[in-house]
Amino acid sequence: MSNRLIEETSPYLLQHAGNPVDWYPWGAEALRKAKEENKLIAVSIGYSACHWCHVMEHESFEDAEVAEIMNQYFICIKVDREERPDVDQVYMTAVQLMTGQGGWPLNCICLPDQRPIYGGTYFGKNNWKNLLLNLAKLWDEKPDEALEYAEKLTKGIHQSEKLNLSEEKIDFSRKDIEDIFNPLKQTLDMAEGGYNRAPKFPLPNNWQFILRYAYHLKEDAAHVATKLTLEKMALGGIYDHIGGGFSRYSVDGFWHVPHFEKMLYDNAQLVSLYSEAFQYSPDDLYKSVVYETLAWVKREMTSPEGGFYSALDADSEGVEGKFYTFTKLEIEEVLGSNSDLFCKYFNITESGNWEDEATNVLRRVKDDEAFSKDTGVSILEFRSLIHLQKAKLFAYRDKRIRPGLDNKILASWNGMMLKGFADAYRVFNEPEFLSTAIENAEFILKNLVAENGSLSRIYKSNRESELPGVAFLDDYALVVEGLISLYEATFNEKWLLAARELCEYALQNFYDPGTGMLFYTSQHAEELIARKFELLDNVIPASNSVMANVLLKLGHFFDDEMYLVQSKQMLQNIFPEIKTYPSGYSNWAILLMNEVFGLNEIAITGEEAEQKRREIENNFIPNKILLGGSSGTLPLLQDKWGGETKIFVCKNRTCQLPVTDVKEALEQVVN
């Protein structure tokens, strides 16, 4: 037996297609049926790699008794939060207002008109049954109470992001940036890296801000904290030392035991972060993380067409982390007599270093220099041996039953990984990184952009219709950001022109003149009970902060004053909030730094432009845009063509004298 989800393409929805619950996907059929039958709606939201989503499914949604209650009293709707983040956004806000916290699985009970009356995250079987029965009874016997509560809660959802158009002209200053970092500094864990709490999330955008703060403000503490965090994450169990790539977070305060799901968006941002950190302070550890992570993406997360898949599950064979963990006996059998050094290197013990008896998460507790000193084995010798042993263990692990793959291809996450490959190429000059980035960009423009200029969030391989699909502001913003980085890596204006066209579509269809910000949903999108903004930077930067940053760059590339004014207006609107919650506005803080310190416009023209670009990228200049080549139409390139390759450094609409030597150009760059 299967329910309506059998017709869906989302791996998460398909996981529930065999449930006895009469699930509907979010859509007109379910919403109309709820109104016709005057039934409450049970909206259950999750994603394919979510461990506790699987647990609740097994305990409740696969249970016939629970399903009978749900089917009798409710219209039951399953939502993949990665396909419909707009729906998730509305009901996550509701649950946070009700409970003070949120997460997935997200379960919300709504009136027939979609307005929520109760919700939460994970519910055990008995609690879920009791909740359903009590709410069904309330709706049957006291509907007025339910209606009154829904009205109050919906009002709270609408007011949760009160935002006004700021007409105040603010002179942003260096002190504003210091005021953001100083309270943030008090929360940093200077022993284990990250923030002084558990669980520990990578939060790449936070560390990008802190790294750039170290550069602009000459703040050693910011650099030390960043270096410590990047090292601890790369050595810890959150990193897959055998196959590359990072898990979503560590459940402890030591980066030791991961929540084993691997998300494309985390790894995309971490690749960019480690690449940038290598530019600032070269470290072989950063380089190996980038190369191994991108090898994993290429090997396991790339479709034949060039798109990137979304996630790998935390579970395999119904056990979290089973694919990634080992007993010492297993390792000894695979590696033979040479296993002792490997076990010391990765902290493998007979009793195990994890909660399960004799099970080990691979984790390094010392860097190579300290390990070499303690063991008396030269760095070159043990690195060579470890490399061979990792390959053997990889081949052994590869025969295991693999974690589930979420093979959705999402525009926004592809934009982030496109940027990751382009950023890595710009730093390491690895040709394969560039070819993968170009292949992905071609895939996006061919398969996800419609003739009217709109994006589709999700790639459908069969493409039964050429009608534009649904996409959200993060799709536009993050694809634009990826295309800009690819232009700076290639000087091919095709990518920059595509970025501007997508940006224009977003401004025309998402802009709110009342606030000067952009809605998360298009004016053509399905109408929900609230139309939200996305303002807070989280594990993924807010779509509005990404848009504000790309508008600043595009404004400089195309000498477009409207883009620059729009970017600054968005920053002015959000500026009063940044100091109140620095870690939640880190991408806005990066924009603020670019406003305070300005963007260096570095134009390279001539036959040797590519060589000069590579030389410049050996230096950390976060507040810059690169443009040029042997030809081009951008305003900043006009009147700069000639026989000899020249470098022009411009800032604040003033260009210095052209030079031919990169060293001279770097001396002109202003921090």
Side-chain angles (χ1 to χ4, degrees):
M1 294 293 291
S2 57
N3 52 50
R4 290 167 181 79
L5 301 184
I6 198 66
E7 301 296 327
E8 297 299 303
T9 57
S10 158
Y12 177 66
L13 298 185
L14 288 171
Q15 286 170 3
H16 295 77
N19 294 168
V21 177
D22 188 16
W23 291 117
Y24 288 78
W26 181 274
E29 182 187 4
L31 300 175
R32 183 174 60 250
K33 189 174 178 66
K35 285 186 175 180
E36 288 173 352
E37 299 184 8
N38 196 34
K39 278 188 173 182
L40 295 176
I41 303 172
V43 180
S44 182
I45 305 172
Y47 57 99
S48 70
C50 168
H51 172 71
W52 288 103
C53 298
H54 300 330
V55 172
M56 188 164 178
E57 179 194 12
H58 178 66
E59 291 178 347
S60 296
F61 304 146
E62 292 178 355
D63 184 86
E65 185 182 1
V66 174
E68 185 178 359
I69 296 171
M70 293 178 69
N71 295 339
Q72 180 176 350
Y73 297 110
F74 299 87
I75 300 300
C76 306
I77 300 180
K78 252 296 166 198
V79 177
D80 182 336
R81 69 165 297 268
E82 293 160 1
E83 283 196 348
R84 293 302 304 263
D86 55 333
V87 175
D88 175 67
Q89 209 176 63
V90 169
Y91 294 114
M92 179 64 76
T93 302
V95 168
Q96 288 171 334
L97 287 171
M98 283 184 273
T99 68
Q101 60 186 12
W104 299 277
L106 185 71
N107 294 284
C108 210
I109 307 301
C110 309
L111 297 182
D113 61 8
Q114 306 172 42
R115 289 184 296 167
I117 58 171
Y118 194 83
T121 53
Y122 166 80
F123 291 93
K125 176 182 171 181
N126 289 333
N127 287 341
W128 182 239
K129 282 167 50 181
N130 291 335
L131 172 66
L132 294 173
L133 291 170
N134 287 336
L135 289 172
K137 184 177 181 182
L138 174 69
W139 182 237
D140 181 51
E141 297 179 0
K142 301 177 181 178
D144 290 345
E145 287 187 20
L147 288 164
E148 182 182 354
Y149 189 66
E151 189 172 335
K152 291 179 181 176
L153 188 54
T154 303
K155 186 177 180 181
I157 294 171
H158 282 279
Q159 293 178 340
S160 63
E161 286 175 344
K162 273 192 120 176
L163 191 66
N164 296 312
L165 184 71
S166 172
E167 297 180 355
E168 179 186 0
K169 298 300 179 186
I170 303 173
D171 293 322
F172 302 120
S173 70
R174 180 189 180 107
K175 185 178 184 303
D176 291 323
I177 303 170
E178 292 172 340
D179 289 345
I180 292 166
F181 176 72
N182 287 332
L184 199 63
K185 183 165 64 173
Q186 308 307 314
T187 66
L188 302 180
D189 185 341
M190 299 306 290
E192 296 297 334
Y195 289 101
N196 196 14
R197 59 177 183 253
K200 284 189 184 288
F201 286 82
L203 298 173
N205 192 251
N206 277 218
W207 294 103
Q208 187 180 52
F209 163 68
I210 295 170
L211 180 67
R212 293 184 180 194
Y213 185 92
Y215 169 81
H216 285 298
L217 280 296
K218 306 296 185 284
E219 171 66 68
D220 286 341
H223 181 220
V224 169
T226 305
K227 185 175 177 62
L228 174 68
T229 299
L230 296 186
E231 181 178 289
K232 289 286 187 178
M233 287 197 299
L235 299 181
I238 191 175
Y239 183 68
D240 180 359
H241 296 277
I242 301 301
F246 288 86
S247 295
R248 189 159 171 254
Y249 63 89
S250 71
V251 300
D252 53 73
F254 307 97
W255 306 105
H256 179 188
V257 178
H259 191 32
F260 287 91
E261 64 204 37
K262 283 184 180 179
M263 311 301 296
L264 187 71
Y265 61 77
D266 285 324
N267 285 280
Q269 294 175 90
L270 286 165
V271 163
S272 293
L273 174 62
Y274 275 90
S275 297
E276 192 167 303
F278 184 90
Q279 249 184 349
Y280 184 68
S281 178
D283 188 318
D284 286 343
L285 180 64
Y286 301 165
K287 184 176 182 178
S288 67
V289 162
V290 170
Y291 273 69
E292 290 173 359
T293 299
L294 291 182
W296 163 69
V297 172
K298 187 71 176 171
R299 183 180 66 244
E300 300 183 31
M301 303 299 289
T302 305
S303 75
E305 303 92 339
F308 300 124
Y309 299 133
S310 292
L312 285 179
D313 206 331
D315 301 0
S316 56
E317 301 180 71
V319 179
E320 185 180 6
K322 186 170 184 179
F323 182 77
Y324 300 101
T325 55
F326 301 88
T327 65
K328 187 178 183 186
L329 180 61
E330 274 183 299
I331 291 173
E332 289 171 343
E333 288 175 347
V334 174
L335 303 182
S337 58
N338 290 324
S339 64
D340 285 351
L341 187 71
F342 186 92
C343 289
K344 287 179 183 176
Y345 191 65
F346 286 112
N347 194 35
I348 305 298
T349 68
E350 196 168 331
S351 59
N353 63 21
W354 189 27
E355 58 187 16
D356 290 356
E357 187 177 350
T359 302
N360 292 275
V361 176
L362 270 62
R363 172 197 182 207
R364 293 167 58 188
V365 294
K366 296 177 181 176
D367 62 25
D368 286 352
E369 286 72 18
F371 185 82
S372 175
K373 185 177 180 181
D374 287 352
T375 59
V377 182
S378 73
I379 288 180
L380 288 178
E381 184 181 348
F382 81 71
R383 277 182 176 172
S384 176
L385 180 60
I386 293 296
H387 178 75
L388 292 172
Q389 291 176 326
K390 283 169 64 174
K392 286 184 179 180
L393 209 57
F394 177 88
Y396 169 78
R397 190 181 80 171
D398 206 39
K399 296 173 184 175
R400 291 175 169 176
I401 295 174
R402 303 185 65 79
L405 169 69
D406 187 334
N407 61 1
K408 283 197 313 296
I409 297 175
L410 300 175
S412 58
W413 298 6
N414 271 250
M416 282 189 281
M417 189 52 81
L418 164 61
K419 183 176 185 294
F421 272 99
D423 288 350
Y425 171 73
R426 292 169 63 184
V427 173
F428 298 107
N429 195 34
E430 183 65 53
E432 187 181 352
F433 296 165
L434 180 60
S435 63
T436 302
I438 291 173
E439 183 182 13
N440 181 251
E442 295 280 13
F443 166 83
I444 291 171
L445 297 184
K446 177 183 176 183
N447 296 285
L448 297 178
V449 181
E451 287 185 8
N452 69 350
S454 67
L455 267 174
S456 292
R457 179 173 179 81
I458 304 164
Y459 170 62
K460 304 287 188 183
S461 57
N462 55 1
R463 298 202 77 187
E464 296 173 0
S465 169
E466 290 300 316
L467 291 174
V470 174
F472 305 101
L473 184 61
D474 59 338
D475 295 305
Y476 289 89
L478 292 163
V479 168
V480 167
E481 190 173 47
L483 290 170
I484 290 173
S485 187
L486 184 56
Y487 166 75
E488 292 185 274
T490 62
F491 292 156
N492 184 341
E493 288 186 5
K494 167 184 176 179
W495 310 121
L496 201 58
L497 293 171
R500 183 174 65 171
E501 288 175 9
L502 289 169
C503 187
E504 280 292 327
Y505 186 92
L507 288 172
Q508 291 168 17
N509 291 278
F510 292 78
Y511 182 67
D512 174 34
T515 62
M517 307 300 274
L518 285 86
F519 285 113
Y520 187 68
T521 55
S522 163
Q523 61 183 353
H524 305 296
E526 171 192 352
E527 188 174 346
L528 302 175
I529 62 169
R531 194 177 180 199
K532 306 283 287 176
F533 299 103
E534 188 179 59
L535 305 174
L536 271 174
D537 299 318
N538 204 302
V539 292
I540 297 175
S543 48
N544 267 284
S545 71
V546 179
M547 278 298 297
N549 273 284
V550 300
L551 282 165
L552 179 68
K553 284 193 171 185
L554 290 174
H556 283 272
F557 276 122
F558 291 102
D559 192 21
D560 190 320
E561 186 67 20
M562 188 200 78
Y563 287 171
L564 298 176
V565 169
Q566 174 64 27
S567 175
K568 193 164 187 177
Q569 179 66 65
M570 295 169 78
L571 178 59
Q572 284 182 183
N573 289 345
I574 212 75
F575 178 71
E577 307 301 323
I578 301 177
K579 295 178 186 179
T580 66
Y581 185 19
S583 67
Y585 292 98
S586 53
N587 206 39
W588 292 106
I590 288 172
L591 177 63
L592 176 62
M593 276 197 284
N594 287 334
E595 283 285 351
V596 170
F597 294 103
L599 281 185
N600 292 283
E601 302 160 344
I602 304 177
I604 314 168
T605 61
E607 295 300 321
E608 297 177 6
E610 171 59 16
Q611 178 187 329
K612 302 297 184 185
R613 183 199 64 77
R614 291 179 186 176
E615 290 181 47
I616 286 172
E617 291 285 31
N618 289 330
N619 302 271
F620 185 68
I621 313 169
N623 58 325
K624 74 176 187 302
I625 60 169
L626 278 177
L627 63 160
S630 56
S631 64
T633 63
L634 296 173
L636 284 170
L637 298 178
Q638 301 313 303
D639 304 319
K640 292 182 172 65
W641 302 107
E644 190 177 15
T645 299
K646 293 182 180 179
I647 307 170
F648 301 80
V649 177
C650 308
K651 198 171 189 180
N652 298 326
R653 307 202 170 193
T654 303
C655 292
Q656 302 187 52
L657 289 174
V659 296
T660 58
D661 183 71
V662 168
K663 184 178 179 182
E664 291 180 84
L666 293 173
E667 289 172 355
Q668 295 180 348
V669 170
V670 181
N671 179 352

